[in-house]
Amino acid sequence: MERGKMAEAESLETAAEHERILREIESTDTACIGPTLRSVYDGEEHGRFMEKLETRIRNHDREIEKMCNFHYQGFVDSITELLKVRGEAQKLKNQVTDTNRKLQHEGKELVIAMEELKQCRLQQRNISATVDKLMLCLPVLEMYSKLRDQMKTKRHYPALKTLEHLEHTYLPQVSHYRFCKVMVDNIPKLREEIKDVSMSDLKDFLESIRKHSDKIGETAMKQAQQQRNLDNIILQQPRIGIKRKPKKDAYTIFDAEIESTSPKSEQDSGILDVEDEEEDEEVPGAQDLVDFSPVYRCLHIYSVLGARETFENYYRKQRRKQARLVLQPPSNMHETLDGYRKYFNQIVGFFVVEDHILHTTQGLVNRAYIDELWEMALSKTIAALRTHSSYCSDPNLVLDLKNLIVLFADTLQVYGFPVNQLFDMLLEIRDQYSETLLKKWAGIFRNILDSDNYSPIPVTSEEMYKKVVGQFPFQDIELEKQPFPKKFPFSEFVPKVYNQIKEFIYACLKFSEDLHLSSTEVDDMIRKSTNLLLTRTLSNSLQNVIKRKNIGLTEDARHAAEEEIYTNLNQKIDQFLQLADYDWMTGDLGNKASDYLVDLIAFLRSTFAVFTHLPGKVAQTACMSACKHLATSLMQLLLEAEVRQLTLGALQQFNLDVRECEQFARSGPVPGFQEDTLQLAFIDLRQLLDLFIQWDWSTYLADYGQPNCKYLRVNPVTALTLLEKMKDTSRKNNVFAQFRKNERDKQKLIDTVAKQLRGLISSHHS
């Protein structure tokens, strides 16, 4: 009985489920029906569901049939109405056709009237044109008379304008008259006369420009220097309202010269005489020195005569020849700064003129032509400067040349010329400047070391003590407590060399001024030059002193110096380690060593590179001491109490840093070590990190205590301490996902390893 009730309940439940599925199929989008059908096949009542589905389909078919029968009469009525509309449309078409026929008939008279009006207006225009032609005869005679007067007074440009108007405006309209033929015959002769005179003026202009390029360039560079000084004043005094004096609009000369009709303007040489200005007087603009009217007149005349292309080709050809002459440096240019200055002045003068021509004429020169000339000038100038500057051995002259090149580049940059290659070349000259400085300071160091007695500096009073400390920032608390007289632990050459190093840095900074370098680039330049001064120049000077037989140190002093080397080196390592900033909770896996460690390794490499003059044992001991101190400090950093939690990602980053240390050890920073000897300083860290990163606890626990154990250098106390730090993060981070199947297994694994480590520790103590 109970089974029957249960079967009936299950049947009702199945029927309800099938009904729900059918409603979902009817209301669900086709693309989302898959999960619904899957639920049918997952059940055991597939056949019953199919029967219900067939029944539902038949019901829907009957409903569709009823709906079609219900709306059939409406469809028939719509067709009947549509047939009625077709008849009405035909009637409307007939009415439109009839209206159009009537409109065409009525418009014929209007078209005829319009044709008559058109003929009347045509006759009116013909009469007006006839009157205009008759009225043109008198102005032609007046214009020709004006032309003759202008030619007699040598006002060629206005004469050309008059000739242009006469030839192109008046004569074509009255050319059938006899007096007009006489005028037409004289026009070619007048045109050639004007052409020859204007070309003569142009040649005089080009010759004057060639001779005075030096003066033009000098003026432009003075103007750039004044502008730079003004900018510096504005930067230094930002609250003072200083207005920049606007440039004279030299481009208005063209318009003024076109309107000028005086004979004097026709005879300008092209260069205006300007006396030398005093330092406190205003420097005129570069274009103020030049009268460009001969170029404008000749260009316009040739354009009117249809020979503009000929004129452009001639002008560009002549200027290219002049450019090659300007860019040819004198053979003795490197001997004095004036030689370089004159060379730059000529180049600047040339391109100032071309830039003005570019902006005040339409196409006489174009940007492509200017760029081509500038590229040629840039390559030849750079080549000349490379050749001649290489002869210079005086750092002061190199510095003056650099300032002159910067002014040269800034001047041309004002006119829109790209000068990046000049500044790139200055970086090459900077290296040469550094070499000349190094040679100069080599002599300075040699003189300082030769004159030193290599005895501690004695001081008998506070004044003498402060004087030495003022020259060299030395701090020693024990020495300060000692009574006078007392001695500094170095000789006089130390503060002297220190001050000379500062002077060297100042000299390097002077060269970096106005090079548009960032502070980082300047710092890199100073650092590179100073490193060379210390590692090469000063190091060589010290080596030469040490190798002398008459210079020696006592055995107690040598040991003290060696211990000082080891101590200071370790202190420097500690300073770098203070910059360490590990994110012990990171989940990201890094791909490079930490920045602080990269800088530390670079410091150690450069330091050991200058240890070549020391005895081999001292250099090896210093290197091994530094590596051991670094390894110990890194281990302490990893295990210190402040680091309460860490992740596997943080351990991976720490491992990258240790690998960087091992790579440094393998590179052999100091010669004389046997293979892998220096790497042993990091063996404790390496085995500990491998154990945790590889999660090789089975090997560690199984082989512990054996002489050939893979993790022989891993102390179980250290391993337990590190494991506890990682255990605290296991509940928050997913760092052990690769070692577990679920959270319970992971926690059990960590607890098991920790328990076994405690057992090892206990058995070891017992």
Side-chain angles (χ1 to χ4, degrees):
M1 188 69 175
E2 292 179 357
R3 290 183 180 178
K5 290 181 179 180
M6 291 177 62
E8 184 179 357
E10 291 178 357
S11 177
L12 291 174
E13 182 179 356
T14 302
E17 177 66 16
H18 287 173
E19 184 63 27
R20 182 190 65 78
I21 293 173
L22 287 173
R23 287 197 301 272
E24 186 171 351
I25 291 174
E26 291 173 344
S27 61
T28 303
D29 186 68
T30 305
C32 303
I33 204 172
T36 304
L37 294 178
R38 187 181 295 111
S39 65
V40 175
Y41 286 97
D42 289 343
E44 298 178 355
E45 300 296 334
H46 174 261
R48 295 181 60 185
F49 175 77
M50 292 303 296
E51 292 176 359
K52 285 198 172 189
L53 180 62
E54 290 293 338
T55 303
R56 183 63 59 91
I57 291 172
R58 287 194 296 272
N59 291 338
H60 281 298
D61 289 342
R62 284 194 295 270
E63 291 177 1
I64 292 171
E65 184 177 357
K66 289 179 181 180
M67 186 177 293
C68 292
N69 291 335
F70 178 76
H71 291 287
Y72 177 75
Q73 184 59 42
F75 172 74
V76 173
D77 294 340
S78 298
I79 295 297
T80 304
E81 292 294 330
L82 184 62
L83 292 174
K84 293 179 180 180
V85 170
R86 184 176 65 179
E88 295 297 329
Q90 185 62 37
K91 292 179 182 179
L92 180 61
K93 179 181 178 182
N94 295 336
Q95 291 176 1
V96 170
T97 302
D98 185 58
T99 301
N100 180 61
R101 184 172 60 255
K102 292 179 180 180
L103 180 62
Q104 293 295 331
H105 177 73
E106 296 295 335
K108 286 183 180 180
E109 295 181 359
L110 179 61
V111 171
I112 294 173
M114 290 298 295
E115 286 294 331
E116 292 177 353
L117 178 61
K118 180 180 178 182
Q119 290 297 326
C120 290
R121 289 186 176 177
L122 180 60
Q123 292 175 1
Q124 184 180 8
R125 284 198 299 269
N126 290 338
I127 294 171
S128 297
T130 303
V131 172
D132 291 339
K133 288 182 180 180
L134 292 175
M135 293 298 295
L136 285 177
C137 291
L138 185 58
V140 168
L141 295 174
E142 292 177 352
M143 289 291 289
Y144 189 77
S145 176
K146 181 180 178 181
L147 173 63
R148 298 304 302 180
D149 292 339
Q150 290 171 340
M151 292 295 295
K152 289 179 181 180
T153 56
K154 296 184 178 180
R155 295 159 58 196
H156 297 102
Y157 177 71
L160 185 63
K161 290 185 64 177
T162 303
L163 183 63
E164 181 182 358
H165 286 298
L166 185 63
E167 182 179 16
H168 297 288
T169 305
Y170 297 102
L171 287 178
Q173 301 180 23
V174 292
S175 58
H176 55 283
Y177 294 103
R178 185 177 302 173
F179 71 90
C180 293
K181 294 181 179 179
V182 176
M183 296 180 185
V184 171
D185 293 338
N186 287 333
I187 285 177
K189 299 177 183 179
L190 296 173
R191 185 179 288 115
E192 287 298 322
E193 181 180 350
I194 296 173
K195 185 177 179 182
D196 293 341
V197 172
S198 62
M199 179 57 70
S200 177
D201 291 343
L202 176 66
K203 291 179 179 179
D204 294 339
F205 170 81
L206 292 175
E207 182 62 23
S208 298
I209 285 294
R210 186 185 66 81
K211 292 180 180 179
H212 294 83
S213 289
D214 186 11
K215 181 64 177 178
I216 298 171
E218 180 184 0
T219 303
M221 293 182 72
K222 280 184 179 180
Q223 200 172 30
Q225 183 64 53
Q226 283 190 348
Q227 186 60 54
R228 183 196 292 178
N229 296 338
L230 180 61
D231 292 339
N232 292 335
I233 294 175
I234 294 175
L235 291 176
Q236 294 174 2
Q237 301 178 353
R239 296 184 180 179
I240 298 179
I242 300 178
K243 295 184 178 180
R244 180 177 299 180
K245 186 180 184 300
K247 274 189 177 179
K248 180 178 178 181
D249 190 1
Y251 302 154
T252 60
I253 296 176
F254 179 50
D255 296 334
E257 291 297 333
I258 289 178
E259 297 299 327
S260 175
T261 57
S262 64
K264 182 179 179 180
S265 66
E266 293 291 327
Q267 300 172 359
D268 290 336
S269 63
I271 300 295
L272 305 180
D273 294 332
V274 177
E275 297 180 356
D276 294 338
E277 300 83 4
E278 298 296 333
E279 290 297 328
D280 56 347
E281 292 182 356
E282 179 185 352
V283 178
Q287 288 94 353
D288 296 342
L289 302 176
V290 184
D291 176 21
F292 290 90
S293 58
V295 180
Y296 302 141
R297 287 196 300 268
C298 194
L299 172 62
H300 189 71
I301 288 171
Y302 271 74
S303 299
V304 172
L305 299 179
R308 180 187 178 97
E309 184 177 356
T310 302
F311 174 76
E312 291 177 358
N313 293 335
Y314 176 81
Y315 177 86
R316 295 183 185 184
K317 181 179 179 181
Q318 296 301 316
R319 291 297 281 167
R320 281 194 179 94
K321 290 181 179 179
Q322 292 183 359
R324 293 188 180 93
L325 293 175
V326 167
L327 295 172
Q328 186 65 32
S331 58
N332 61 342
M333 182 175 70
H334 60 276
E335 296 178 356
T336 62
L337 190 65
D338 288 337
Y340 289 104
R341 183 178 289 109
K342 184 175 181 181
Y343 179 63
F344 289 146
N345 287 343
Q346 290 178 347
I347 297 175
V348 171
F350 178 88
F351 281 100
V352 166
V353 171
E354 291 306 290
D355 180 76
H356 186 77
I357 292 294
L358 172 67
H359 289 91
T360 56
T361 61
Q362 298 179 352
L364 177 56
V365 296
N366 52 31
R367 177 53 62 184
Y369 162 81
I370 295 292
D371 291 343
E372 178 188 352
L373 283 181
W374 176 240
E375 287 296 327
M376 177 184 69
L378 203 57
S379 61
K380 289 183 177 294
T381 303
I382 291 175
L385 290 176
R386 283 192 180 124
T387 301
H388 287 268
S389 64
S390 63
Y391 300 143
C392 183
S393 58
D394 182 5
N396 294 327
L397 180 57
V398 177
L399 183 61
D400 291 339
L401 175 59
K402 166 256 169 182
N403 292 330
L404 189 59
I405 294 175
V406 170
L407 179 59
F408 170 70
D410 289 346
T411 303
L412 287 169
Q413 193 172 32
V414 170
Y415 290 93
F417 295 98
V419 294
N420 291 336
Q421 294 185 40
L422 288 173
F423 284 101
D424 293 341
M425 186 206 60
L426 281 174
L427 299 182
E428 300 176 15
I429 296 181
R430 177 194 64 188
D431 297 335
Q432 177 189 346
Y433 176 71
S434 298
E435 289 297 326
T436 58
L437 288 180
L438 291 174
K439 292 178 182 179
K440 178 180 178 180
W441 257 259
I444 294 175
F445 289 152
R446 184 169 56 252
N447 294 334
I448 293 175
L449 295 174
D450 289 345
S451 61
D452 195 67
N453 57 9
Y454 300 98
S455 300
I457 301 176
V459 289
T460 58
S461 64
E462 184 69 23
E463 182 180 356
M464 294 178 62
Y465 184 87
K466 290 182 178 179
K467 181 179 179 181
V468 176
V469 174
Q471 294 175 350
F472 180 66
F474 178 76
Q475 294 181 354
D476 189 338
I477 298 177
E478 295 298 329
L479 181 62
E480 292 177 358
K481 293 179 180 179
Q482 294 178 11
F484 292 99
K486 50 188 175 183
K487 296 180 180 181
F488 283 95
F490 48 80
S491 63
E492 291 184 354
F493 91 86
V494 173
K496 290 181 179 179
V497 167
Y498 175 78
N499 288 325
Q500 287 301 321
I501 292 175
K502 290 199 299 184
E503 291 298 326
F504 179 86
I505 293 175
Y506 295 151
C508 293
L509 282 173
K510 287 181 180 179
F511 194 92
S512 65
E513 294 175 353
D514 301 321
L515 291 185
H516 310 298
L517 298 175
S518 65
S519 58
T520 303
E521 291 173 321
V522 173
D523 291 344
D524 291 341
M525 181 192 75
I526 301 301
R527 187 181 299 109
K528 178 182 177 182
S529 300
T530 307
N531 285 340
L532 287 176
L533 179 72
L534 297 176
T535 60
R536 191 176 73 184
T537 306
L538 181 57
S539 175
N540 291 338
S541 300
L542 291 173
Q543 289 183 48
N544 293 332
V545 172
I546 293 174
K547 292 177 182 178
R548 295 178 188 173
K549 295 182 179 180
N550 60 339
I551 300 294
L553 298 174
T554 62
E555 191 70 22
D556 295 337
R558 285 186 178 274
H559 285 305
E562 292 172 4
E563 289 299 327
E564 190 69 18
I565 291 175
Y566 308 150
T567 302
N568 289 336
L569 195 57
N570 290 343
Q571 290 177 352
K572 192 66 177 178
I573 292 174
D574 292 339
Q575 292 177 8
F576 276 99
L577 289 173
Q578 290 176 1
L579 301 176
D581 186 20
Y582 288 101
D583 181 6
W584 298 110
M585 299 302 296
T586 184
D588 299 331
L589 299 180
N591 55 9
K592 64 177 182 177
S594 302
D595 293 339
Y596 88 93
L597 194 75
V598 173
D599 294 339
L600 171 58
I601 295 301
F603 164 75
L604 292 177
R605 289 186 189 278
S606 61
T607 301
F608 292 134
V610 301
F611 276 18
T612 54
H613 66 280
L614 296 177
K617 183 179 179 182
V618 175
Q620 294 172 12
T621 304
C623 186
M624 178 59 76
S625 172
C627 289
K628 287 183 177 180
H629 182 75
L630 177 58
T632 303
S633 301
L634 288 175
M635 182 68 79
Q636 293 174 354
L637 185 64
L638 186 63
L639 299 177
E640 64 182 2
E642 294 181 0
V643 183
R644 298 181 180 179
Q645 298 179 352
L646 57 83
T647 63
L648 184 60
L651 209 59
Q652 290 279 13
Q653 179 60 51
F654 198 82
N655 182 55
L656 291 174
D657 293 347
V658 175
R659 287 183 183 276
E660 189 74 14
C661 297
E662 292 172 330
Q663 176 63 28
F664 167 73
R666 282 195 299 270
S667 66
V670 172
F673 284 108
Q674 295 182 358
E675 185 177 359
D676 296 338
T677 300
L678 202 57
Q679 280 185 262
L680 293 177
F682 302 97
I683 189 65
D684 291 3
L685 275 172
R686 172 48 49 215
Q687 291 188 6
L688 179 65
L689 291 172
D690 287 348
L691 173 62
F692 274 83
I693 292 175
Q694 298 176 12
W695 206 247
D696 196 11
W697 293 105
S698 59
T699 302
Y700 175 75
L701 296 172
D703 296 346
Y704 181 76
Q706 298 181 11
N708 295 328
C709 176
K710 180 179 179 181
Y711 302 102
L712 181 63
R713 309 285 297 187
V714 179
N715 190 303
V717 177
T718 303
L720 180 60
T721 302
L722 190 59
L723 185 64
E724 291 294 339
K725 295 176 184 290
M726 301 184 72
K727 177 181 177 182
D728 292 339
T729 63
S730 63
R731 298 181 179 87
K732 301 178 181 179
N733 299 282
N734 200 23
V735 296
F736 292 100
Q738 55 182 322
F739 307 126
R740 64 172 175 81
K741 294 182 180 179
N742 52 49
E743 194 69 23
R744 184 180 300 172
D745 292 342
K746 176 202 68 177
Q747 190 63 40
K748 183 178 180 181
L749 175 62
I750 296 176
D751 293 340
T752 301
V753 173
K755 183 177 180 181
Q756 291 177 338
L757 287 175
R758 294 190 185 96
L760 287 178
I761 296 171
S762 299
S763 63
H764 178 71
H765 286 297
S766 62

